[in-house]
Amino acid sequence: MCRPGWSQLFHVTCPSAKAVAWCYRGGSISAEPRINERIRVPEVRLVGPSGEQVGIVPLAKALELAQEYDLDLVEVAANARPPVCKLMDYGKFKYESAMKAREARKNQAHTVIKEMKLRPKIDPHDYDTKKGHVVRFLKQGDKVKITIMFRGREQSRPELGYRLLQRLAEDVQELGFIESNPKQDGRNMIMVLGPHKKKTEAMAEAREAQAARKAERQGGTSEAPVEAAAEETSTEETPAENAEA
């Protein structure tokens, strides 16, 4: 029995070498493609640097062409028969792939459901605060689950919670809509609001606003030294004018 997280060891005897080796079972498999001398097949289907089909060539010939073009021989389809290899700059390819993946993660939108809890007899100031949070969530493109919590005798008056939910939905109707109508769930009443804007649109607007604020700050800092220099020039000319007078 192995410890959790440890690879299981098993004993392997090599009859030809008459030696004993320890091997690991369940190790991680690399997702990196084989390149250059790591490719172990007699022949490959070669694709040129511009995507042109060279054809099936011996591995030695493909490696020779890779050296001639100062590129790498990269196995792009290992399960094909014979495997498909392409001549490319592997370092540049990895960098561009990482940048594309990073950009895709940046633009990826995950639907998030925020939750806001209220009481049927909520104070007006607390209501405005809670509504402000709901507005912020909807502007970010997130759904909002509104929960009205009933206690004691309040459970006999569900209409209080229903009216409060309807009031909140009307107050934020420009930003969101009722996705799930109010329904009783034990001691709580629940309603879900959905945003009019998609998450990707909200993220794009937020990035544009951030870029605009950054440009405005940079513009303000660049104008300050110019004004200071103008003031210094005017003060230095004053003594000369007085002397001439």
Side-chain angles (χ1 to χ4, degrees), residues 157-170 189:
R157 303 201 54 191
E159 67 276 6
L160 295 177
Y162 182 81
R163 285 201 296 265
L164 182 59
L165 291 176
Q166 290 295 325
R167 175 189 172 189
L168 180 60
E170 292 176 1
M189 183 174 288

Side-chain angles (χ1 to χ4, degrees), residues 119-138:
R119 294 292 307 280
K121 299 179 180 179
I122 189 171
D123 182 81
H125 177 73
D126 292 339
Y127 173 80
D128 292 337
T129 302
K130 300 279 188 178
K131 183 181 73 173
H133 292 313
V134 174
V135 168
R136 177 164 55 86
F137 295 148
L138 292 174

Side-chain angles (χ1 to χ4, degrees), residues 39-50:
I39 302 173
R40 304 291 186 181
V41 291
E43 58 184 13
V44 298
R45 184 179 298 276
L46 186 62
V47 180
S50 302

Side-chain angles (χ1 to χ4, degrees), residues 8 42 68 94 123 142 173 188:
Q8 185 176 357
E68 182 179 338
K94 284 188 65 176
D123 182 81
D142 297 323
Q173 61 182 349
N188 301 327

Side-chain angles (χ1 to χ4, degrees), residues 12 21 33 35 55 60 69 74 91 95 108 110 120 122 140 155 164 172 192 203 213 229:
V12 175
I35 64 173
Y69 284 103
V74 183
Y95 173 77
Q108 190 175 11
H110 297 282
I122 189 171
Q140 293 174 355
Q155 299 181 52
L164 182 59
V172 299
V192 178
M203 292 171 61
R213 290 194 298 269

Side-chain angles (χ1 to χ4, degrees), residues 17-208:
K18 296 181 180 180
V20 177
W22 288 97
C23 299
Y24 289 90
R25 186 194 307 171
S28 60
I29 300 176
S30 174
E32 294 286 335
R34 294 187 297 182
I35 64 173
N36 300 328
E37 287 76 11
R38 294 178 57 191
I39 302 173
R40 304 291 186 181
V41 291
E43 58 184 13
V44 298
R45 184 179 298 276
L46 186 62
V47 180
S50 302
E52 68 276 12
Q53 296 290 333
V54 179
I56 299 176
V57 299
L59 177 61
K61 179 62 176 178
L63 291 172
E64 182 181 340
L65 290 174
Q67 291 180 356
E68 182 179 338
Y69 284 103
D70 194 21
L71 294 173
D72 299 304
L73 182 66
V74 183
E75 190 178 52
V76 294
N79 294 329
R81 291 294 179 268
V84 180
C85 296
K86 185 176 181 181
L87 297 175
M88 67 172 73
D89 185 342
Y90 187 60
K92 181 180 178 181
F93 171 75
K94 284 188 65 176
Y95 173 77
E96 291 177 351
S97 300
M99 293 301 294
K100 289 179 181 179
R102 181 180 178 184
E103 190 67 23
R105 287 194 300 270
K106 183 188 297 184
N107 296 329
Q108 190 175 11
H110 297 282
T111 302
V112 179
I113 300 181
K114 305 288 187 178
E115 184 174 11
M116 188 60 56
K117 296 182 178 181
L118 294 81
R119 294 292 307 280
K121 299 179 180 179
I122 189 171
D123 182 81
H125 177 73
D126 292 339
Y127 173 80
D128 292 337
T129 302
K130 300 279 188 178
K131 183 181 73 173
H133 292 313
V134 174
V135 168
R136 177 164 55 86
F137 295 148
L138 292 174
K139 284 184 177 179
Q140 293 174 355
D142 297 323
K143 297 181 180 181
V144 188
K145 175 183 176 182
I146 312 297
T147 303
I148 304 296
M149 301 180 298
F150 296 94
R151 293 181 181 176
R153 301 183 193 178
E154 294 174 348
Q155 299 181 52
S156 60
R157 303 201 54 191
E159 67 276 6
L160 295 177
Y162 182 81
R163 285 201 296 265
L164 182 59
L165 291 176
Q166 290 295 325
R167 175 189 172 189
L168 180 60
E170 292 176 1
D171 290 344
V172 299
Q173 61 182 349
E174 295 182 358
L175 299 173
F177 61 95
I178 299 178
E179 186 174 285
S180 177
N181 290 319
K183 61 181 180 180
Q184 193 77 24
D185 183 14
R187 296 185 178 183
N188 301 327
M189 183 174 288
I190 298 172
M191 178 182 71
V192 178
L193 296 175
H196 290 309
K197 291 183 181 179
K198 294 182 179 180
K199 185 73 172 181
T200 52
E201 296 176 358
M203 292 171 61
E205 290 183 0
R207 285 196 296 268
E208 291 177 0

